[in-house]
């Protein structure tokens, strides 16, 4: 469950350690999601980007390459998927689930111990450490460890997240003294929701910051006041100081004194006024001394006494060790770093050990040693739907008339629970569901209870997916065939009706029918049976509107309808008192009346939102300052306003804007990645909540389009391994920074499953090994939606009409979704034949592709030869050849038309392969070849040796023979370009030292030689042979038509001998030039 590592350092001077800390801080050039980013206004973003005609990408020089490329981490990463699958199989063999337990899960009766973790795919790690002495370690975590762990967890189907609050909290939280509570709450959340480990503690020689509690029980505080008044020499001033900062709050179940916000006494604190900061620090230090002195002598429990002396770090560590965890799941890890020979006389030692007035704080040191012993003692020596209903029914109060009627069986028709939004329909159905499970949980009960809260999960909003999941659950429970289960609407509806007939007994609550989208006329409810079998009990809920009208038309009998009304006064009072008491709070009479009178027709949703707001009220809060909106929509907006105050308006708007704009929500990791790429965010939802969020955050069309565009960039991996430009506010310079967001392949690489050939170490193989395909489901689910919403039609056409994208969508079970997305794109994009052609093709083959997604390429090849889809499929229909080599391959080269592949191995043999068939055409023994080039006509191939160019025949009677040789010295800057579509007009142009030479390959004679005024350190011909990109003392473009420099490529310096390893290349379309130079990587338009 934990481990301990001791790291010793024998440096004599802590100046060196301080220098290490500073150096590590300065060396980090990446901008992370928690950093404060630059201020780029949305209007100027594109302008700023367009102004960057060339930019230099700089990156810190680290001693270590990325962990994913180092052993043994590289091997662990490549085998992650296989290792995880093997572990799952081993666990399943060792711990087979009992049949009764499996059936309980299918029935929705999930054990309490699995409620939080059974659906979790997030690993949350809380990092606990003191600040100044572990900065290097935490920086290393960020630069080296976290990126690797994110890759690793992603490969095994999880999201890796870190909570490290040492990077700071909002000033508002500091002002309100909420930092300790935030740490505690985050630790609890990590412990309860993490699917794996949840705590990492780094302990060294520093005990850490020790604030006094911001909330103190009334009896203890008054005892301290009394003791101070009697025993202190400055009793009047100290008592007045405590009265100045603490007020009694009687709204707590156990009354307590609460520390007031710093800004309540020092108005300039939040504005950074130094005098106010100094004044607060002085008051804090005096109060800390008062509390500690009095706590030693006042009567109180040891736990209450400890809160005046304990550090935040010890609180976190004890919180991490509070509950015993699953011994088979490592949950906590501790590192004990020991610094030897620490010179406490050195001023820098305060960064690494607790000091008090220039001396070592012995009390802190003693407590730290006790904490370490406590850790050693505590650590062992060896190292969705039913959950949603359970949560909804936990705080169910009253309303027995509704629940009683809802539990009565209506003959052969569904029971319909209806009412306006927020009246508690979902809670009533959840309560009915829970009571049903409790009353029918015995082994003798053979029935099945299925519940679907429509709209809570992405798939449940689609009637086909809804019915498909219900059919799966019923078929699995009753051991019926599911292999023949199809997803098209007619088939799945028929199967649903058939399964209802064979159920011995079944109960099926379907909540929020209105949340279904209207595909396949879902709101008409034609998929519900007109008459239910005798053994089936169905409960549905709906808002007033089309779904309720459809229900009334299909089932006209009024006895099976339950109209949920707004709450009466007694229900309201009972609900308010219950909700607050469950949170350890209560209200004054006046405050309760404010809630009860704020809304003319209160609903459970309104009261829940109002009680959430009331949790912040104190007994001394003036009623005139309490503002409570009269409707659920308005109170949700107040909640958003509160978020703006606590976390900053820009951050909240953009963070919740991304969540609201996403099609199926965002994982915390994805949201963090998006915010790390969002300069606006760096500066500075849920049925009814989502509706308000749409209006509140995405009401502005331009902002909505920008948010969706940012989501597109994230899901196409635009900033993965690429520096993102931003404007530095202080200097107005355009800078770049790595945001450390992950790549977004459509298919997670098959090489994860590929095994190297260990049995034949002398054989090198170029191969593609078939493996279980792992799709990027998040990208497949989200990207098309954001392309359409952002109106990026060029990108939409490029991505959505790509044959590999279409194939991935089909093979991952998203055929119907693909059809709808292409329909929307072709409709809104205007005149776009390619999108339209792809849509019509997928629409015509939907049922076939749903059952046989592997047929996509074949179906596309069956289309007319001039169609877009046929032309794309032709490029995908080639087979993969297996090309074996006896020794390691030094380099390889394809011909321009990719018909041939040339390879050269350490056995000194040049091999020419036919790509289509994979057959070996010829082998040529040669002692040394440095480069290979094919001419456009591929009748021969050139090999460049150290001092000559050799032409080998490729076809006919001259196959494999040496046709010509002509002398030419090879070096790092040497480049060759072969022009001519036939052998008769072919010319070979090459760079040799400081000259361009042109040869006739048929005669071997030198046709032309042009001396250059420079000696290239690197060069490259353009694809059409008209231009030459050169790095000499500078970088420039050189015309081969008039042999003149035509454009200088801007760099930060001139290059002499230090550019020996420079590389420059021109893109195939001749629109961009890229170079790797001694001072960085450059890209020019």
């Amino acid at each position: 469950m934990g481990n301990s590592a001791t790291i010793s350092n024998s440096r004599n001077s802590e100046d060196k350690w301080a220098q290490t800390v500073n150096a590590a801080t300065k060396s980090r050039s990446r901008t992370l999601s928690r950093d404060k980013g630059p201020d780029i206004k949305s209007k100027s973003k594109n302008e700023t980007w367009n102004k960057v005609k060339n930019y230099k990408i700089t990156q810190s020089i680290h001693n270590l390459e990325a962990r994913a490329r180092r052993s043994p981490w590289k091997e662990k990463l490549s085998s992650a998927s296989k290792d995880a699958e093997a572990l799952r199989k081993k666990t399943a063999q060792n711990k087979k689930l009992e049949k009764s337990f499996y059936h309980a899960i299918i029935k929705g009766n999930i054990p309490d111990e699995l409620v939080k973790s059974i659906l979790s795919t997030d690993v949350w790690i809380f990092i606990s450490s003191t600040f100044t002495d572990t900065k290097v370690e935490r920086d290393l975590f960020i630069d080296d460890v976290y990126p690797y762990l994110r890759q690793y967890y992603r490969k095994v189907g999880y999201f890796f997240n870190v909570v490290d609050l040492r990077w700071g909290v909002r000033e508002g939280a500091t002002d309100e003294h909420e930092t300790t509570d935030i740490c505690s709450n985050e630790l609890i959340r990590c412990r309860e929701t993490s699917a794996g480990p949840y705590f990492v503690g780094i302990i060294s020689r520093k005990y850490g910051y020790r604030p006094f509690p911001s909330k103190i029980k009334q009896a203890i505080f008054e005892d301290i006041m009394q003791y101070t008044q009697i025993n202190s020499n400055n009793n009047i001033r100290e008592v007045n100081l405590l009265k100045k900062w603490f007020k009694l709050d009687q709204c707590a179940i156990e009354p307590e004194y609460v520390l007031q916000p710093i800004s309540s006494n020092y108005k300039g604190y939040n504005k950074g006024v130094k005098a106010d900061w100094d004044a607060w620090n002085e008051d804090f230090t005096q109060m800390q001394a008062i509390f500690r002195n009095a706590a030693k002598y006042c009567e109180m429990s040891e736990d209450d006494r400890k809160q005046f002396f304990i550090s935040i770090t010890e609180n976190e560590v004890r919180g991490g060790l509070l509950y015993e965890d699953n011994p088979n799941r490592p949950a906590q890890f501790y590192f004990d770093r020991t610094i030897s020979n620490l010179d406490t006389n050195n001023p820098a030692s305060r960064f690494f050990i607790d000091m008090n007035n220039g001396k070592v704080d012995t009390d802190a040191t003693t407590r730290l040693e006790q904490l370490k012993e406590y850790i050693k003692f505590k650590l062992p020596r060896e190292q969705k739907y039913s959950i949603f209903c359970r949560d909804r029914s936990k705080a169910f109060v009253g309303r027995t008339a509704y629940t009683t009627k809802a539990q009565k069986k209506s003959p052969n028709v569904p029971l319909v629970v209806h009412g306006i939004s927020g009246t508690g329909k979902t809670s009533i159905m959840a309560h009915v569901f829970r009571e049903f499970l409790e009353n029918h949980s015995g082994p003798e009960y053979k029935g099945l209870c299925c519940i679907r809260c429509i709209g809570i999960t992405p798939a449940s909003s689609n009637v086909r997916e809804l019915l498909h999941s219900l059919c799966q659950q019923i078929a699995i429970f009753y051991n019926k065939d599911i292999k023949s289960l199809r997803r098209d609407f007619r088939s799945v509806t028929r199967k649903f009706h058939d399964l209802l007939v064979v159920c011995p007994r079944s109960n099926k609550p379907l909540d929020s029918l209105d949340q279904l989208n209207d595909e396949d006329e879902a709101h008409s409810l034609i998929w519900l049976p007109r008459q239910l079998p005798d053994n089936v009990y169905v409960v549905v809920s709906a808002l007033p509107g089309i779904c309720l009208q459809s229900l009334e038309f299909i089932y006209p009998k009024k006895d099976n309808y339950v109209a949920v009304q707004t709450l009466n006064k007694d229900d309201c009072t009972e609900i308010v008192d219950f909700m607050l008491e469950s949170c350890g709070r209560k209200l004054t009479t006046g405050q309760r009346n404010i809630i009860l009178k704020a809304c003319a027709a209160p609903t459970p949703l309104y009261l829940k939102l109002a009680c959430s707001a009331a949790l912040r009220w104190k007994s001394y809060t003036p009623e005139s300052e309490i503002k409570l909106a009269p409707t659920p929509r308005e109170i949700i907006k107040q909640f958003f306003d509160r978020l703006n105050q606590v976390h900053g308006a820009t951050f909240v708007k953009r963070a919740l804007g991304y969540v609201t704009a996403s099609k199926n929500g965002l994982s915390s990791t994805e949201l963090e990645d998006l915010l790390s790429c969002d300069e606006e965010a760096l500066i500075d939802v849920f049925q009814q909540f989502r509706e308000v969020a749409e209006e509140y955050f995405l009401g502005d069309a331009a902002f909505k389009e920008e948010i969706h565009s940012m989501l597109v960039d994230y899901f196409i991996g635009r900033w993965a391994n690429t520096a993102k430009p931003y404007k530095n506010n202080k200097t107005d310079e355009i800078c770049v920074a790595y945001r450390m967001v992950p790549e977004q392949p459509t298919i997670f690489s098959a090489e994860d499953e590929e095994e190297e050939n260990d049995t034949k170490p002398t054989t090198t193989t170029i191969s593609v090994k078939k493996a279980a395909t792992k799709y990027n489901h998040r990208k497949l689910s989200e990207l098309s939606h954001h392309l359409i919403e952002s109106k990026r039609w060029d990108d939409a056409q490029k991505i959505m009409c790509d044959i590999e994208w279409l194939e991935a969508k089909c093979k991952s079970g998203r055929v119907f979704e693909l059809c709808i997305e292409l329909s929307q794109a072709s409709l809104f994009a205007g005149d776009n034949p390619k999108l339209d052609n792809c849509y019509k093709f997928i629409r015509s083959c939907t049922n076939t592709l749903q059952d046989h997604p592997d047929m996509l390429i074949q179906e596309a090849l069956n289309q007319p030869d001039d169609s877009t889809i046929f032309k794309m499929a032709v490029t995908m229909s080639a087979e993969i050849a297996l090309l074996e080599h006896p020794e390691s391959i030094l380099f390889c080269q394809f011909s321009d038309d990719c018909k041939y592949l040339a390879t050269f191995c350490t056995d000194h043999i040049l091999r020419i392969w036919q790509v289509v068939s994979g057959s070996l055409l010829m082998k040529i023994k040669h002692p040394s070849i440095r480069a290979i080039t094919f001419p456009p006509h591929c009748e021969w191939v050139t090999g460049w040796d150290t001092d000559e160019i050799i032409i080998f025949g490729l076809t006919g009677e001259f196959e494999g023979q040496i046709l010509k040789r002509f002398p030419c010295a090879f070096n790092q800057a040497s480049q060759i370009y072969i022009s001519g579509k036939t052998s008769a007009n072919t010319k070979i142009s090459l760079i040799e030292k400081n000259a361009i030479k042109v040869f006739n390959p048929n005669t071997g004679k030198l046709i032309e030689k042009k001396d250059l005024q420079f000696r290239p350190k690197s060069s490259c011909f353009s694809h059409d042979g008209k231009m030459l990109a050169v790095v000499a003392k500078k970088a420039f473009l050189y015309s081969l038509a008039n042999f003149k420099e035509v454009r200088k490529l801007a760099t930060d310096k001139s290059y002499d001998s230090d550019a020996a390893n420079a590389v420059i290349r021109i893109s195939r379309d001749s629109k961009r030039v890229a170079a790797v130079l001694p001072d960085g990587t450059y890209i020019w338009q």
Side-chain angles (χ1 to χ4, degrees), residues 959-972:
E959 180 179 309
Q961 297 183 22
I962 296 178
L963 302 180
K964 293 291 178 183
R965 294 175 182 262
F966 37 92
C968 179
F970 181 91
N971 59 42
Q972 179 70 23

Side-chain angles (χ1 to χ4, degrees), residues 654-671:
R654 303 191 80 83
L656 292 188
Y658 288 127
V659 173
T660 307
S662 63
K663 181 181 177 183
N664 295 324
L666 294 171
S667 72
S668 53
T669 304
E670 290 169 337
L671 181 58

Side-chain angles (χ1 to χ4, degrees), residues 570-584:
D570 291 339
D571 283 339
C572 290
T573 303
E574 187 179 1
I575 290 173
V576 169
D577 290 342
F578 179 85
M579 287 183 173
L580 290 168
E581 186 176 348
S582 65
C583 297

Side-chain angles (χ1 to χ4, degrees), residues 369-404:
E369 293 304 316
Q370 292 173 348
L371 175 61
K372 291 183 178 181
E373 291 300 318
Y374 175 77
I375 294 172
K376 293 177 183 177
F377 171 75
K378 289 289 289 186
L379 287 178
R381 294 180 183 177
E382 306 84 11
Q383 284 292 316
K384 275 184 184 164
Y385 291 113
S386 56
I387 294 175
F388 177 79
C389 292
R390 186 191 300 254
D391 293 339
R392 279 299 180 95
S393 62
K394 269 182 184 176
F396 191 85
V397 180
R399 321 208 86 182
T400 54
Y402 296 126
T403 58
T404 302

Side-chain angles (χ1 to χ4, degrees), residues 194-264:
S194 179
Y198 67 83
F199 188 91
V200 170
I202 310 174
I203 310 296
S204 186
R205 293 189 62 178
K206 197 172 180 67
Y207 183 58
Y209 178 54
R210 297 193 283 167
F212 51 81
S214 60
K215 297 175 182 176
I216 305 173
K217 295 175 183 176
Q218 180 181 2
I220 294 175
F221 185 85
E222 290 175 354
D223 284 349
I224 290 174
M225 290 277 285
Q226 185 177 2
Y227 175 86
T228 303
Q229 196 165 8
I230 296 173
N231 296 284
S232 174
N233 294 329
N234 299 313
N235 55 355
I236 297 177
R237 185 174 62 81
E238 292 179 355
V239 167
N240 287 337
L241 182 63
L242 295 181
K243 288 181 177 179
K244 170 185 175 182
W245 284 105
F246 282 86
K247 286 185 179 181
L248 178 63
D249 176 21
Q250 294 182 327
C251 281
I253 297 298
E254 185 175 1
E256 59 193 11
Y257 279 85
V258 178
L259 181 61
Q260 299 304 291
I262 302 172
S263 58
S264 64

